Amino acid sequence: MTYLHKGAAALLIAAMAGTALTPAAAQAPKPLKVEAAAAVDAQAKDIQVMVDTVFSFAEPGFQEVRTSAYLADVLEKNGFKVERGVAGMPTAFVATWGSGGPLIALGSDIDGLLGLSQMPGVAQQKPLVPGAPGHGEGHNSGMPMMIAAAIAAKQVMEKNKIPGRLMLWPGVAEELLATKAYYVRAGVFKDVDASIFSHVSSDFGTAYGELGMNGMVSVEYTFHGKTAHAGGMPWEGRSALDGVELMDTAWNFRREHLPVTQRSHYVITNGGGQPNIVPDTASVWYYFRDRTFAGVKTLFDTGNEIAEGAARASGTTVTRQILGYAAPNFGNKPLAEAAYANITAVGMPKWTPADQAFAKTVQETNGRKVEALRSVPAPLSTPENRTAVFGGGSDDIGDIMWTVPTITIRFPSNIPNMIGHHITSAMAMATPIAHKGVEAGAKAVAMTVLDLMTTPKLVSAAKTYFRDVQLKTDSYAPLIGPDDKPAIWLNEKLMREMRPEMEKYYYDASKYPTYLDQIGVRYPGSGSAK
């Protein structure tokens, strides 16, 4: 945990001086940014502990109990005021600090994915707890990065008497796309001037404009019928499962006539009890995705019509419950340009031969394209240089992007060419690769925060772009209603069953230098456990 030496500081100043900026991308004084980078370097051990600890908790959406409490405690110990349980979600919190000046929000996701338990630092599929959740999206790294950035910015602001306010918040249940619309509805962002979000990646960059990610609505349809003896008197029953199956069949026939940009998928969450009882209740859970607010609404309306038709055909009735919503993504140009100047000034981490060797082992072992850990940041992604995207994934940061000027910074804590929502994306996430990527990302975020705190015209330019450019293309139109509530019961039963075994693998930083040391993994070794 050492501060930048004179040579490193000089290199950072030179990099900043050589960065081409538009007028909107004005910068804070360079000595402040050198201080911020040094303040992140001083947190290197804390970053490693946070990243490894959250990885070991591996909690899925709405059950991020240990994760949320741990991160909130870290912020409280560093002088932030924490409000817990915001927007009707027990694992959501808001941490604030500062006075005067602009209010800048910093957030990242914290939830894991079902069934992706994986031993880090190991190139083969090797769950810590078979069947348990895991960080196969790398969400263990984002909030540690934002916390390190916030602490660094806070230290610089206190030392130099810079007015301004910080607000940190966790992305709860992002993998369920189930919460950020509720943050917005609860007014969490009503006084925010600008927002910086982060997401793990193998590159280092940011983007502005329409980002090509789908909006989405998550809805569960429940059919209600009548039980009967399926062998003795089936005519007395009306099968709710028939309603589910008719809906799924009808939806799959309808796909041929839906826009090429749409993505839709479902799972049957309740198919009945046993075969010889006609099920009186059955449920199916759909994600409807498309590129625009209107497109998502059309899919939702179509699904509702098909569900009603399936109910009539099966002699049942149907109800529905929205479980989540995500708006399309749109990045703010002035914020992205300012952040990108800092990303290029910081540059990629200094990867060691061990880091490169582990990355190559993971790629070769899992049949992925072999590519070295990257040495330069990605270009600034713009509407002019982005490849056209026709549908795909979603991220509910879009709800915040349509509420206040917002960007996402991608930071380099993972290996190139891994599979998303997959065990391969967990293998590096508690290794030096993840730790170094978080340090680099934290520096860029802290520097961008200082830009916003010291440059009123940057805040003004971000708001002007949001109002005059973004809101001219579309306007925020979430599908959640006033009576819809966050689905905080999801994954509760699973974690009651899994947590006792998972607790055996929680990281104990008081006994072990790193999580790899605790679980007996040699890095990079052969990419396998000792």
Side-chain angles (χ1 to χ4, degrees), residues 283-301:
S283 301
V284 59
W285 182 9
Y286 271 80
Y287 281 7
F288 299 122
R289 311 186 198 231
D290 209 339
R291 289 286 297 279
T292 65
F293 290 102
V296 174
K297 176 71 162 54
T298 297
L299 292 178
F300 181 51
D301 290 342

mmCIF file of all heavy atoms in Angstrom, residues 283-301:
data_model
loop_
_atom_site.group_PDB
_atom_site.id
_atom_site.type_symbol
_atom_site.label_atom_id
_atom_site.label_comp_id
_atom_site.label_asym_id
_atom_site.label_seq_id
_atom_site.Cartn_x
_atom_site.Cartn_y
_atom_site.Cartn_z
ATOM 1 N N SER A 283 -47.511 -22.202 -13.102
ATOM 2 C CA SER A 283 -46.966 -20.879 -13.421
ATOM 3 C C SER A 283 -45.828 -20.982 -14.422
ATOM 4 O O SER A 283 -45.083 -21.976 -14.456
ATOM 5 C CB SER A 283 -46.442 -20.204 -12.148
ATOM 6 O OG SER A 283 -47.452 -20.057 -11.183
ATOM 7 N N VAL A 284 -45.699 -19.925 -15.224
ATOM 8 C CA VAL A 284 -44.603 -19.821 -16.175
ATOM 9 C C VAL A 284 -44.053 -18.401 -16.104
ATOM 10 O O VAL A 284 -44.812 -17.428 -16.035
ATOM 11 C CB VAL A 284 -45.052 -20.185 -17.609
ATOM 12 C CG1 VAL A 284 -46.173 -19.288 -18.108
ATOM 13 C CG2 VAL A 284 -43.864 -20.184 -18.567
ATOM 14 N N TRP A 285 -42.724 -18.281 -16.142
ATOM 15 C CA TRP A 285 -42.030 -17.002 -15.947
ATOM 16 C C TRP A 285 -41.361 -16.607 -17.259
ATOM 17 O O TRP A 285 -40.532 -17.344 -17.782
ATOM 18 C CB TRP A 285 -41.025 -17.179 -14.827
ATOM 19 C CG TRP A 285 -40.227 -15.972 -14.422
ATOM 20 C CD1 TRP A 285 -40.387 -14.694 -14.808
ATOM 21 C CD2 TRP A 285 -39.130 -15.990 -13.507
ATOM 22 N NE1 TRP A 285 -39.462 -13.879 -14.201
ATOM 23 C CE2 TRP A 285 -38.678 -14.662 -13.390
ATOM 24 C CE3 TRP A 285 -38.494 -16.996 -12.767
ATOM 25 C CZ2 TRP A 285 -37.599 -14.313 -12.571
ATOM 26 C CZ3 TRP A 285 -37.426 -16.640 -11.956
ATOM 27 C CH2 TRP A 285 -36.992 -15.320 -11.855
ATOM 28 N N TYR A 286 -41.727 -15.438 -17.776
ATOM 29 C CA TYR A 286 -41.224 -14.953 -19.060
ATOM 30 C C TYR A 286 -40.345 -13.720 -18.892
ATOM 31 O O TYR A 286 -40.610 -12.873 -18.029
ATOM 32 C CB TYR A 286 -42.392 -14.555 -19.975
ATOM 33 C CG TYR A 286 -42.941 -15.673 -20.825
ATOM 34 C CD1 TYR A 286 -43.835 -16.605 -20.281
ATOM 35 C CD2 TYR A 286 -42.586 -15.803 -22.154
ATOM 36 C CE1 TYR A 286 -44.353 -17.627 -21.060
ATOM 37 C CE2 TYR A 286 -43.102 -16.828 -22.941
ATOM 38 C CZ TYR A 286 -43.976 -17.734 -22.390
ATOM 39 O OH TYR A 286 -44.482 -18.745 -23.166
ATOM 40 N N TYR A 287 -39.320 -13.616 -19.748
ATOM 41 C CA TYR A 287 -38.618 -12.366 -20.012
ATOM 42 C C TYR A 287 -38.984 -11.948 -21.439
ATOM 43 O O TYR A 287 -38.781 -12.722 -22.382
ATOM 44 C CB TYR A 287 -37.096 -12.542 -19.962
ATOM 45 C CG TYR A 287 -36.462 -12.579 -18.588
ATOM 46 C CD1 TYR A 287 -37.217 -12.613 -17.421
ATOM 47 C CD2 TYR A 287 -35.075 -12.585 -18.464
ATOM 48 C CE1 TYR A 287 -36.608 -12.654 -16.176
ATOM 49 C CE2 TYR A 287 -34.460 -12.619 -17.230
ATOM 50 C CZ TYR A 287 -35.224 -12.656 -16.082
ATOM 51 O OH TYR A 287 -34.615 -12.697 -14.857
ATOM 52 N N PHE A 288 -39.504 -10.744 -21.598
ATOM 53 C CA PHE A 288 -39.767 -10.163 -22.914
ATOM 54 C C PHE A 288 -38.792 -9.003 -23.125
ATOM 55 O O PHE A 288 -38.810 -8.032 -22.360
ATOM 56 C CB PHE A 288 -41.204 -9.634 -23.005
ATOM 57 C CG PHE A 288 -42.275 -10.667 -22.809
ATOM 58 C CD1 PHE A 288 -43.217 -10.537 -21.800
ATOM 59 C CD2 PHE A 288 -42.353 -11.773 -23.646
ATOM 60 C CE1 PHE A 288 -44.221 -11.478 -21.615
ATOM 61 C CE2 PHE A 288 -43.362 -12.722 -23.470
ATOM 62 C CZ PHE A 288 -44.292 -12.585 -22.460
ATOM 63 N N ARG A 289 -37.964 -9.083 -24.185
ATOM 64 C CA ARG A 289 -36.942 -8.064 -24.411
ATOM 65 C C ARG A 289 -37.044 -7.480 -25.812
ATOM 66 O O ARG A 289 -37.274 -8.199 -26.787
ATOM 67 C CB ARG A 289 -35.532 -8.650 -24.263
ATOM 68 C CG ARG A 289 -35.262 -9.469 -23.019
ATOM 69 C CD ARG A 289 -33.801 -9.820 -22.987
ATOM 70 N NE ARG A 289 -33.480 -10.924 -22.107
ATOM 71 C CZ ARG A 289 -32.535 -10.903 -21.164
ATOM 72 N NH1 ARG A 289 -31.844 -9.798 -20.969
ATOM 73 N NH2 ARG A 289 -32.289 -11.963 -20.429
ATOM 74 N N ASP A 290 -36.818 -6.176 -25.908
ATOM 75 C CA ASP A 290 -36.693 -5.526 -27.218
ATOM 76 C C ASP A 290 -35.931 -4.219 -27.035
ATOM 77 O O ASP A 290 -35.655 -3.790 -25.911
ATOM 78 C CB ASP A 290 -38.057 -5.295 -27.865
ATOM 79 C CG ASP A 290 -37.971 -5.319 -29.397
ATOM 80 O OD1 ASP A 290 -36.872 -5.108 -29.948
ATOM 81 O OD2 ASP A 290 -39.013 -5.528 -30.040
ATOM 82 N N ARG A 291 -35.637 -3.571 -28.166
ATOM 83 C CA ARG A 291 -34.712 -2.439 -28.162
ATOM 84 C C ARG A 291 -35.314 -1.138 -27.634
ATOM 85 O O ARG A 291 -34.592 -0.252 -27.211
ATOM 86 C CB ARG A 291 -34.190 -2.200 -29.591
ATOM 87 C CG ARG A 291 -33.233 -3.270 -30.094
ATOM 88 C CD ARG A 291 -31.880 -3.145 -29.428
ATOM 89 N NE ARG A 291 -31.252 -1.874 -29.768
ATOM 90 C CZ ARG A 291 -30.593 -1.630 -30.883
ATOM 91 N NH1 ARG A 291 -30.483 -2.578 -31.802
ATOM 92 N NH2 ARG A 291 -30.031 -0.456 -31.102
ATOM 93 N N THR A 292 -36.622 -0.988 -27.682
ATOM 94 C CA THR A 292 -37.249 0.274 -27.324
ATOM 95 C C THR A 292 -38.314 0.066 -26.258
ATOM 96 O O THR A 292 -38.801 -1.056 -26.048
ATOM 97 C CB THR A 292 -37.911 0.927 -28.552
ATOM 98 O OG1 THR A 292 -38.995 0.093 -28.990
ATOM 99 C CG2 THR A 292 -36.908 1.118 -29.689
ATOM 100 N N PHE A 293 -38.697 1.163 -25.618
ATOM 101 C CA PHE A 293 -39.793 1.104 -24.648
ATOM 102 C C PHE A 293 -41.056 0.566 -25.316
ATOM 103 O O PHE A 293 -41.753 -0.293 -24.771
ATOM 104 C CB PHE A 293 -40.062 2.504 -24.086
ATOM 105 C CG PHE A 293 -38.976 3.024 -23.179
ATOM 106 C CD1 PHE A 293 -38.051 3.945 -23.630
ATOM 107 C CD2 PHE A 293 -38.886 2.588 -21.871
ATOM 108 C CE1 PHE A 293 -37.064 4.442 -22.786
ATOM 109 C CE2 PHE A 293 -37.904 3.062 -21.012
ATOM 110 C CZ PHE A 293 -36.986 3.993 -21.480
ATOM 111 N N ALA A 294 -41.349 1.077 -26.505
ATOM 112 C CA ALA A 294 -42.560 0.649 -27.212
ATOM 113 C C ALA A 294 -42.483 -0.819 -27.594
ATOM 114 O O ALA A 294 -43.490 -1.542 -27.533
ATOM 115 C CB ALA A 294 -42.771 1.508 -28.453
ATOM 116 N N GLY A 295 -41.301 -1.277 -28.004
ATOM 117 C CA GLY A 295 -41.142 -2.678 -28.381
ATOM 118 C C GLY A 295 -41.383 -3.613 -27.217
ATOM 119 O O GLY A 295 -42.037 -4.665 -27.362
ATOM 120 N N VAL A 296 -40.865 -3.262 -26.042
ATOM 121 C CA VAL A 296 -41.097 -4.078 -24.853
ATOM 122 C C VAL A 296 -42.590 -4.104 -24.508
ATOM 123 O O VAL A 296 -43.150 -5.161 -24.190
ATOM 124 C CB VAL A 296 -40.265 -3.554 -23.664
ATOM 125 C CG1 VAL A 296 -40.615 -4.319 -22.384
ATOM 126 C CG2 VAL A 296 -38.782 -3.669 -23.955
ATOM 127 N N LYS A 297 -43.217 -2.949 -24.594
ATOM 128 C CA LYS A 297 -44.649 -2.874 -24.288
ATOM 129 C C LYS A 297 -45.467 -3.743 -25.243
ATOM 130 O O LYS A 297 -46.414 -4.437 -24.835
ATOM 131 C CB LYS A 297 -45.119 -1.411 -24.407
ATOM 132 C CG LYS A 297 -46.613 -1.172 -24.208
ATOM 133 C CD LYS A 297 -47.038 -1.349 -22.783
ATOM 134 C CE LYS A 297 -48.395 -0.712 -22.482
ATOM 135 N NZ LYS A 297 -49.473 -1.134 -23.365
ATOM 136 N N THR A 298 -45.109 -3.760 -26.525
ATOM 137 C CA THR A 298 -45.824 -4.583 -27.496
ATOM 138 C C THR A 298 -45.685 -6.065 -27.171
ATOM 139 O O THR A 298 -46.664 -6.831 -27.229
ATOM 140 C CB THR A 298 -45.307 -4.294 -28.917
ATOM 141 O OG1 THR A 298 -45.588 -2.930 -29.243
ATOM 142 C CG2 THR A 298 -45.967 -5.202 -29.939
ATOM 143 N N LEU A 299 -44.483 -6.505 -26.813
ATOM 144 C CA LEU A 299 -44.277 -7.907 -26.443
ATOM 145 C C LEU A 299 -45.092 -8.263 -25.201
ATOM 146 O O LEU A 299 -45.704 -9.335 -25.127
ATOM 147 C CB LEU A 299 -42.801 -8.178 -26.191
ATOM 148 C CG LEU A 299 -41.852 -8.128 -27.390
ATOM 149 C CD1 LEU A 299 -40.425 -8.363 -26.924
ATOM 150 C CD2 LEU A 299 -42.231 -9.172 -28.440
ATOM 151 N N PHE A 300 -45.080 -7.364 -24.232
ATOM 152 C CA PHE A 300 -45.830 -7.589 -22.997
ATOM 153 C C PHE A 300 -47.326 -7.713 -23.290
ATOM 154 O O PHE A 300 -48.002 -8.648 -22.814
ATOM 155 C CB PHE A 300 -45.556 -6.429 -22.044
ATOM 156 C CG PHE A 300 -46.245 -6.523 -20.708
ATOM 157 C CD1 PHE A 300 -46.162 -7.663 -19.927
ATOM 158 C CD2 PHE A 300 -46.963 -5.438 -20.220
ATOM 159 C CE1 PHE A 300 -46.785 -7.727 -18.684
ATOM 160 C CE2 PHE A 300 -47.591 -5.493 -18.983
ATOM 161 C CZ PHE A 300 -47.504 -6.641 -18.215
ATOM 162 N N ASP A 301 -47.838 -6.818 -24.103
ATOM 163 C CA ASP A 301 -49.253 -6.883 -24.469
ATOM 164 C C ASP A 301 -49.570 -8.178 -25.216
ATOM 165 O O ASP A 301 -50.616 -8.808 -24.983
ATOM 166 C CB ASP A 301 -49.636 -5.686 -25.335
ATOM 167 C CG ASP A 301 -49.647 -4.377 -24.555
ATOM 168 O OD1 ASP A 301 -49.689 -4.420 -23.312
ATOM 169 O OD2 ASP A 301 -49.597 -3.304 -25.201
#
